[in-house]
Amino acid sequence: MKNHLDTKNLLFCARQGIAIRGHRVDEDSSNKGNFLELLTLRAKDNDIIQRYFIEKEKTFRYVSGDYTNTFLEYLANIVIENIIDNVIAAGIFSIIVDETQDLSRHEQVAIIIRYATKDLSPAEVFLGFYKTENTDGETLSMLIKSTLVSHGLKIENLRGQCYDGAASMRGSYKGVQARIKEENHLAMYIHCNAHILNLCLIDLAKQVSYVRNVFGTLNTLHNFIGASSKRHAIFEKMYSVLNISTCEGPKTLKSLSDTRWSCRLDALKAVLFNFQTVVSTLEDISENDAVYGSDANALLNQWQKKQYKNYAICGVKKVLITLGMK
């Protein structure tokens, strides 16, 4: 019974995507984290939780970090089992795979399975992240195949492979798609449409001079202010002095991304909203920073050009809206 109650609280935290434990979980802590605080709250209406968790009728309460990790693993296994059962029932399936670095600089491979339900509606389910030491075609193909086999999914039932355009993925001879096709020639490879669109938009932007120049300046500006805690502190100070905090809008400048075109619109909107803050920040750095003052002055001169602000920035915005990036 106690385990069942603990699991319900863990399931709630997991579904909401919130942290389980707090910074401190000892008796003197004012906030022990979502899991323990939720148990404390539910104890007011639940006699069993009140007896075993609050009044400590027994010392073995299943709320330590080791137990919560174990229960979370059990819950995750149940979710994976349900996903695999649905995929097996569908008969055939496709995979979507991409890899990226996490905050620890480890390569993480995301594997997604796509299949058709009984009423022929498409379904996409996230299978998990898988760490890899190398990102060559052989290593990635072995990882994908071993993951599918470990979950009881047969390679011969694979009908589609969707990856980006990296050579290790789409290579005709040693790429992942080619290696998997050696075992199943029906596993058709499709270059990710979102990735193709992103590449087209980036190449298109490079062909229009004012679009290219604005994005280049946006990137330089973000790196210049964001690379230094001192310069970023000046930005925050100017933001507060100008009372922009009372308005709804981005509070910081946004970085550009070569793999997510929509980030460029966010970066543009952030500068338009914080335009006066950016100018005031650059003016302050230009006047008071002996080392980087000249860099700030160069950026300031660029941003204060009437043609640059009114024509270039508004022109880029119109291009993005025309492309549907609203």
Side-chain angles (χ1 to χ4, degrees):
M1 178 64 73
K2 291 180 294 181
N3 294 14
H4 179 62
L5 293 171
D6 288 349
T7 304
K8 279 189 174 182
N9 290 281
L10 279 174
L11 185 59
F12 172 82
C13 292
R15 283 179 171 173
Q16 296 302 113
I18 57 179
I20 304 298
R21 292 184 286 276
H23 181 64
R24 292 177 54 197
V25 295
D26 55 74
E27 295 298 331
D28 297 330
S29 176
S30 60
N31 188 338
K32 301 180 180 64
N34 294 311
F35 174 56
L36 296 182
E37 293 295 336
L38 183 58
L39 278 172
T40 302
L41 176 64
R42 294 190 63 203
K44 296 179 179 180
D45 302 312
N46 190 298
D47 293 337
I48 296 178
I49 298 179
Q50 178 69 31
R51 287 170 51 197
Y52 289 101
F53 180 67
I54 302 299
E55 297 176 359
K56 299 179 177 58
E57 185 171 308
K58 291 186 177 181
T59 58
F60 198 57
R61 296 180 292 151
Y62 300 98
V63 295
S64 68
D66 291 338
Y67 279 108
T68 55
N69 288 338
T70 300
F71 293 151
L72 283 172
E73 186 177 351
Y74 289 154
L75 293 173
N77 290 338
I78 293 174
V79 172
I80 293 296
E81 288 175 3
N82 289 335
I83 289 175
I84 298 303
D85 288 343
N86 291 334
V87 176
I88 292 177
I92 57 177
F93 61 94
S94 299
I95 56 173
I96 303 173
V97 179
D98 196 9
E99 57 86 17
T100 187
Q101 284 187 351
D102 60 17
L103 293 177
S104 301
R105 301 295 183 181
H106 295 151
E107 294 291 342
Q108 299 283 351
V109 179
I111 299 180
I112 297 172
I113 296 181
R114 183 178 175 92
Y115 64 95
T117 61
K118 292 181 179 180
D119 60 355
L120 300 182
S121 298
E124 288 185 2
V125 290
F126 175 69
L127 195 60
F129 284 116
Y130 301 90
K131 183 179 176 181
T132 181
E133 299 295 335
N134 300 303
T135 57
D136 58 274
E138 181 180 5
T139 302
L140 291 175
S141 61
M142 290 298 297
L143 173 64
I144 294 171
K145 289 187 288 187
S146 62
T147 300
L148 295 178
V149 171
S150 67
H151 288 298
L153 299 176
K154 298 180 180 180
I155 302 298
E156 54 263 35
N157 292 335
L158 184 64
R159 291 296 181 271
Q161 310 174 65
C162 183
Y163 316 130
D164 60 20
S168 61
M169 304 301 288
R170 66 172 298 177
S172 301
Y173 300 102
K174 295 184 178 181
V176 172
Q177 65 92 12
R179 293 176 182 274
I180 290 182
K181 271 191 172 182
E182 289 178 357
E183 297 188 28
N184 179 6
H185 68 280
L186 296 177
M188 180 183 298
Y189 165 67
I190 299 174
H191 189 173
C192 174
N193 288 333
H195 188 259
I196 293 175
L197 176 61
N198 183 79
L199 294 175
C200 290
L201 293 175
I202 289 178
D203 288 341
L204 174 63
K206 292 179 180 178
Q207 305 308 311
V208 185
S209 60
Y210 70 81
V211 176
R212 179 182 64 247
N213 294 338
V214 168
F215 282 140
T217 307
L218 281 175
N219 192 47
T220 302
L221 179 65
H222 174 269
N223 293 338
F224 179 73
I225 294 179
S228 167
S229 58
K230 180 180 178 181
R231 294 194 289 270
H232 190 266
I234 296 175
F235 177 87
E236 291 180 329
K237 176 184 176 182
M238 295 301 173
Y239 186 93
S240 178
V241 169
L242 294 171
N243 294 320
I244 298 179
S245 57
T246 60
C247 306
E248 291 188 3
K251 298 180 180 180
T252 60
L253 301 181
K254 307 295 183 181
S255 63
L256 277 68
S257 172
D258 286 337
T259 56
R260 291 183 60 195
W261 176 262
S262 60
C263 290
R264 295 170 178 255
L265 181 57
D266 293 336
L268 180 63
K269 287 181 176 178
V271 170
L272 291 175
F273 181 81
N274 295 289
F275 191 85
Q276 189 54 52
T277 302
V278 171
V279 171
S280 299
T281 300
L282 293 176
E283 288 176 342
D284 186 286
I285 298 173
S286 177
E287 294 175 4
N288 302 310
D289 195 321
V291 178
Y292 296 100
S294 58
D295 295 334
N297 187 65
L299 280 170
L300 181 61
N301 291 335
Q302 186 71 19
W303 281 107
Q304 285 184 321
K305 290 181 180 179
K306 183 177 180 181
Q307 181 183 16
Y308 191 86
K309 177 182 177 182
N310 295 336
Y311 176 69
I313 294 183
C314 292
V316 174
K317 189 175 182 181
K318 290 179 180 179
V319 170
L320 292 171
I321 292 175
T322 302
L323 294 171
M325 305 301 297
K326 300 180 180 179

